[in-house]
Amino acid sequence: MAIISTTSTAPTSSMEEVLKLPDGRTLAYSHSGPSDSKLVLIWFHGLFSVGDAANPPKPIRERNALFIAPTLPGWGNTSPTLPGKTFAETVVSDTLALLEHLRPQPSNDSLRIYVAGGSFGTVPTQIVFGAPYDRFPYGRHIVGMLLMAPFSPFREDVNYRKGLCWRDWISVGPLTRIVPGRMVQRLMKSALAGKVRDVASAEAFLQKEFFADMDEEEKARYAAWRERTGERGGGVPAKDGGGDGEERERVVGGIKEFDEEHARKPVVLALGRGDTSLRGMAKFLQESYKNVRVEEYEGGHLASAWSMDEVLEEMFTAGGD
């Protein structure tokens, strides 16, 4: 897909590339925009997705920003976490290695970084946002965060399970931590395998999950989004529920323990009014982060995606860009 031209002569790319990491793993990623841009947006995808920066939304293009979309550990062509390593420390080290590769940092650099993600992707987004600077030096350049249909850190949000629909309660609720041997996750994997055994089955599964219950207003916003972005069918991130509850419980350090520099950075929350399972988690985040804005949209889990340009403008405005 075409990238709007910039005045920079630095190379741009939208094809997936693979970076060999110091720990022997591989990290798949996509990026577009000028590699020497002072403005960077890192987007973390959700489940059933991979990093894709091929079609940056208008607010990113207009600002000539470098748009980076890594593929998370264990998804697509990115290696899983190594034995003995947590998801959190792997995400931080992978993101650090990718930035050092794509955007080496001069000592006098005026770099400005935003981190963003949707649904499960809000988990790694919060990990990187809150990472200590000694582990993630680029964190000093983070100026804002966007969380769309966000998950809260389960270790801190002790009431996260309240308000979950029964399906989400099973997939990410207390059972995922109580039942030994990660049996719940294994059963879910088996149940999903048949639903995504090929492209046709996967498309039917996702259509049923996310589009069957849309009301007329959300259908209209979705249709406008498709027209605006040129999506013909599919092209929509799958619902990012489910996954490994044990990892989610420990992915984020204490939000309430942030130092002053971390705490003052703006956070934008975007969610659908009908996404009942995540409303309680969003409320917890709203009460926990010190500098937060909330944007709500009519619709369900994907509601904010149909207003991506508007949400990104809100993020950039909050961060001063």
Side-chain angles (χ1 to χ4, degrees):
M1 300 180 189
I3 303 296
I4 290 181
S5 299
T6 71
T7 56
S8 172
T9 58
T12 64
S13 173
S14 61
M15 301 295 292
E16 182 181 72
E17 301 181 42
V18 176
L19 176 65
K20 190 72 173 179
L21 297 168
D23 62 9
R25 298 167 49 253
T26 56
L27 171 63
Y29 66 95
S30 175
H31 68 101
S32 58
S35 60
D36 59 350
S37 177
K38 298 293 186 181
L39 188 64
V40 175
L41 172 63
I42 306 173
W43 171 264
F44 292 99
H45 67 82
L47 303 186
F48 306 117
S49 303
V50 295
D52 181 7
N55 187 20
K58 183 179 178 181
I60 297 174
R61 301 194 309 261
E62 288 182 337
R63 289 169 172 82
N64 289 338
L66 172 59
F67 182 29
I68 303 174
T71 295
L72 293 171
W75 291 90
N77 292 315
T78 294
S79 304
T81 57
L82 294 174
K85 295 291 185 180
T86 66
F87 177 82
E89 61 186 326
T90 301
V91 164
V92 170
S93 62
D94 285 4
T95 306
L96 176 60
L98 184 56
L99 281 170
E100 289 175 338
H101 173 68
L102 290 176
R103 192 59 172 75
Q105 187 180 339
S107 58
N108 62 345
D109 201 353
S110 57
L111 188 63
R112 294 174 62 80
I113 299 174
Y114 290 86
V115 290
S119 198
F120 178 75
T122 63
V123 175
T125 303
Q126 292 178 79
I127 291 170
V128 171
F129 181 79
Y133 295 151
D134 59 346
R135 292 180 55 194
F136 188 67
Y138 282 83
R140 296 189 182 278
H141 297 277
I142 292 178
V143 294
M145 175 170 66
L146 169 63
L147 304 175
M148 302 174 66
F151 279 89
S152 59
F154 293 174
R155 183 176 59 186
E156 293 181 79
D157 184 5
V158 295
N159 294 316
Y160 80 93
R161 63 190 181 279
K162 296 182 179 179
L164 293 178
C165 68
W166 69 268
R167 180 185 58 191
D168 291 339
W169 192 90
I170 291 173
S171 63
V172 299
L175 288 178
T176 59
R177 291 174 294 157
I178 296 172
V179 178
R182 301 175 70 182
M183 186 58 66
V184 174
Q185 293 91 328
R186 295 177 189 277
L187 290 173
M188 289 178 57
K189 179 180 179 181
S190 298
L192 283 172
K195 298 180 183 295
V196 295
R197 61 183 180 275
D198 52 42
V199 173
S201 299
E203 287 183 350
F205 168 65
L206 297 177
Q207 287 288 336
K208 180 180 179 181
E209 286 291 305
F210 305 113
F211 300 99
D213 295 331
M214 279 186 179
D215 60 23
E216 293 306 313
E217 180 176 344
E218 187 173 5
K219 286 179 181 178
R221 293 178 57 240
Y222 169 53
W225 173 84
R226 288 181 60 181
E227 181 69 24
R228 192 167 60 248
T229 60
E231 292 289 353
R232 296 304 175 204
V236 181
K239 180 174 181 182
D240 301 328
D244 190 333
E246 181 181 357
E247 284 183 345
R248 287 185 181 170
E249 183 182 16
R250 62 183 182 228
V251 290
V252 182
I255 297 174
K256 297 183 185 300
E257 300 170 3
F258 277 178
D259 57 39
E260 183 179 349
E261 189 171 352
H262 277 89
R264 69 168 176 256
K265 296 177 182 180
V267 176
V268 175
L269 306 179
L271 65 151
R273 292 188 177 94
D275 194 2
T276 55
S277 282
L278 298 187
R279 288 191 65 79
M281 297 187 205
K283 186 175 185 295
F284 173 86
L285 296 175
Q286 182 179 2
E287 294 172 349
S288 298
Y289 286 110
K290 303 301 183 184
N291 184 5
V292 63
R293 304 185 186 190
V294 180
E295 298 294 328
E296 295 192 22
Y297 299 88
E298 292 299 331
H301 190 68
L302 299 177
S304 58
W306 318 139
S307 298
M308 178 66 79
D309 288 0
E310 178 182 334
V311 175
L312 287 172
E313 285 291 353
E314 183 70 22
M315 177 197 72
F316 285 129
T317 298
D321 288 292

